[in-house]
Amino acid sequence: MQWPKVKGTILFSPRNGQQEEKALLHAARLLKEGELLAFPTETVYGLGADALDPVAVSRIFRAKGRPADNPLIVHIAGIEQASELVRELPPEAALLARYFWPGPLTMVLPKSERVPDICTAGLSSVALRVPSHPLALRLIRAAKVPIAAPSANISGSPSPTTAAHVLADLAGRIAAVLDGGACSVGLESTVVSLLSSPPAILRPGWVTQEMLEKILKCSILDLSTVDNKDDKQGPALSPGMKYRHYAPKAPLILVEGEGDDQRSQLLALTEGFVMQGRKLGLILSQESKAFFSAPVVEILGSRNDPATVARRLFNALRRMDYQGVEVIVVEGFEEKELGKAVMNRLRKAAVKIIGSESKGGVLWTKS
Ligand code: TXA
Ligand code: MG
C-alpha cells in the first residue's frame, strides 16, 4: 500500500481494519530498523523509538532538539513487560497499575541494566507507562520491544494532539507518523515517582493526587510545583520540570484568579493591546466568551468541564501560532483536580503571570 508522504515523512492514516493491520506492521518494522515513528496515545502523540536501541533513542533527542539531561518515558503493553526493565516492582506500583494501566499514569521506578542510559539521561530510575490508545498498544505488541517516547513536538513547543500537529513540527525529521485521530485526554500523563515513600507527583495530569491517594490509602507528595530550575540546588527531581514548555511563539500572559477580579484584569489587558493595534489572541472559558473580543479567540470549554478544557488546550495554543498573533492572553482556571494539570501547563508556557488578588494581585515576569 502506498501511503502519502510529507517532506519524506510517511503518513499512515488507515481508514479500515485491513489498512490498520498493514500500517501497524510497517510501523513496527520501522521501529525495529531503528527509525523514529510518531504514534497516538490517549494523552498526546509520542515520538517513538526502540527503547533498547541506544542509537535509535539518540535520534529522538536530535529530532526534537531535546536536552540530553531530560529522560524519556518507556511505553510497554502491560505490567508483565515491566519486569525486565525495573530492578524491583514495589507493591504500590502493582496496585496503581491494576487501577490505572492502561492509562495516563507514568511511574518512575528503579531501572534495570537492560534500559540504556541514554533513555534515562543517566538516572538510575526509569519512567514506565502503558498507554490505553488501542493503536499504541497494538504497535508495542507488534514491535515486540518497549518504546521510548517523549511528546512528538519540537522541544519547548505545545505537545501534539493530532497527527497534523506532529507533521507541523517534525515532517522531514522522522520516518513516519501513525494517525489515530485526536487524543482524548489532550494533556500528558501524570508522572508519579515511587522511589520515595510516600510517593511523589512530579507532573500533574488526568490521574489526580486525590485518585492516587484513594488507591494507595496514604498521602502523596505533590512536587510538581517545586521550582527546581536552579541547577545549583542539586539535580532536578524530574529534569523535564526545569525547562520552559508548551510555549507558542508569541508571548503568553496568564491571568489567574476568578470572578470579577479576574475579568477586570482580562479586560484591562485586552483593551490595552487592542488599542496599541497589536494582533491579540485570547484563550477563554465558555463563560467569558460574551465579555471580550479580539482578532483571534479560542474557547476551551466551560469552567465546570476541566476535561474539555484540558483536551482543547494544546490545540488552542498551536492555533495562536498558526494565526500569527503577536501576544496571547489566557484566562486561568480553578486549580483543583484536573485543573491543576491545566494550570501547570499554562504556567510553564507563560512569560508573565498575573496573580489573583488573594495572592497580591501583582504582575510578575518569569525569569
Ligand atoms: O503522556 C505522556 O506522558 C506522553 C506520551 C507520549 O506518553 N509523553 C510525554 O513525554 O509527555 P515527555 O518526554 O514529554 O515527558 C516526560 C516527563 C519529563 O518531564 C521527564 O523529565 C520525566 O517525564 N521523566 C522521565 N523519566 C524520568 C525519571 N526517570 N525520573 C524522573 N522524571 C522522569
Ligand atoms: Mg514533552
Side-chain angles (χ1 to χ4, degrees):
M1 165 138 200
Q2 272 299 89
W3 301 100
K5 285 188 179 174
V6 182
K7 294 188 194 162
T9 296
I10 304 170
L11 173 61
F12 296 117
S13 44
R15 299 225 162 71
N16 55 45
Q18 205 185 6
Q19 290 187 0
E20 251 174 40
E21 210 49 51
K22 289 208 165 95
L24 283 165
L25 280 177
H26 192 160
R29 194 170 69 235
L30 288 172
L31 286 172
K32 276 191 277 194
E33 288 166 359
E35 299 284 352
L36 300 185
L37 169 88
F39 64 98
T41 82
E42 73 283 18
T43 57
V44 301
Y45 274 70
L47 178 58
D50 175 352
L52 304 179
D53 175 349
V55 176
V57 173
S58 73
R59 293 194 176 116
I60 293 181
F61 288 88
R62 204 168 334 128
K64 276 188 63 116
R66 182 178 178 102
D69 67 352
N70 194 2
L72 306 176
I73 295 174
V74 176
H75 297 71
I76 52 179
I79 191 162
E80 56 298 334
Q81 227 181 330
S83 52
E84 66 159 348
L85 306 173
V86 299
R87 241 181 309 118
E88 56 162 309
L89 201 64
E92 292 89 347
L95 190 58
L96 291 178
R98 187 142 20 100
Y99 278 89
F100 297 112
W101 280 0
L105 179 71
T106 295
M107 292 192 242
V108 176
L109 295 160
K111 101 174 181 69
S112 76
E113 298 279 293
R114 190 96 169 90
V115 184
D117 284 340
I118 185 167
C119 221
T120 63
L123 295 177
S124 57
S125 58
V126 61
L128 294 184
R129 174 162 114 79
V130 178
S132 68
H133 194 295
L135 284 183
L137 284 173
R138 286 169 65 194
L139 177 71
I140 303 166
R141 288 196 194 108
K144 298 191 177 70
V145 286
I147 301 179
S151 49
N153 51 284
I154 292 285
S155 220
S157 75
S159 297
T161 55
T162 65
H165 294 165
V166 176
L167 287 171
D169 276 20
L170 297 173
R173 290 168 172 252
I174 62 176
V177 182
L178 175 59
D179 188 350
C183 301
S184 59
V185 174
L187 290 186
E188 306 85 347
S189 60
T190 306
V191 179
V192 64
S193 169
L194 297 179
L195 303 178
S196 60
S197 181
I201 292 179
L202 304 181
R203 179 175 72 184
W206 188 91
V207 175
T208 62
Q209 183 172 0
E210 293 79 6
M211 293 184 204
L212 294 169
E213 288 179 339
K214 200 167 159 202
I215 301 304
L216 291 181
K217 298 191 176 63
C218 71
S219 55
I220 307 271
L221 299 176
D222 180 2
L223 299 182
S224 65
T225 54
V226 175
D227 186 0
N228 64 355
K229 263 184 291 191
D230 186 356
D231 269 343
K232 289 188 278 293
Q233 290 172 357
L237 291 163
S238 183
M241 299 200 301
K242 72 184 177 190
Y243 295 107
R244 181 156 182 250
H245 258 116
Y246 320 115
K249 292 189 183 75
L252 185 153
I253 302 173
L254 172 63
V255 181
E256 297 191 348
E258 54 186 82
D260 290 347
D261 179 29
Q262 185 186 33
R263 203 158 272 165
S264 55
Q265 303 264 32
L266 283 167
L267 206 56
L269 277 174
T270 305
E271 285 177 349
F273 285 127
V274 170
M275 258 163 42
Q276 288 169 18
R278 314 246 331 248
K279 186 169 179 186
L280 169 69
L282 271 180
I283 300 183
L284 300 171
S285 69
Q286 183 63 35
E287 288 81 356
S288 295
K289 188 177 173 183
F291 294 90
F292 304 95
S293 76
V296 180
V297 180
E298 284 290 324
I299 303 301
L300 294 180
S302 166
R303 292 181 72 86
N304 303 319
D305 182 6
T308 301
V309 170
R311 189 168 62 244
R312 292 183 180 161
L313 178 65
F314 286 139
N315 187 53
L317 292 177
R318 279 181 177 263
R319 284 184 58 83
M320 293 291 146
D321 278 347
Y322 299 158
Q323 307 216 35
V325 306
E326 291 171 79
V327 60
I328 304 166
V329 173
V330 187
E331 172 181 344
F333 288 78
E334 194 184 358
E335 205 167 8
K336 76 165 206 239
E337 297 169 358
L338 185 53
K340 274 192 194 165
V342 170
M343 290 304 286
N344 166 274
R345 306 312 188 266
L346 283 174
R347 288 200 183 118
K348 285 190 192 281
V351 294
K352 277 184 183 165
I353 299 173
I354 297 182
S356 63
E357 193 136 274
S358 57
K359 289 178 187 162
V362 289
L363 176 75
W364 61 278
T365 306
K366 297 196 341 177
S367 54

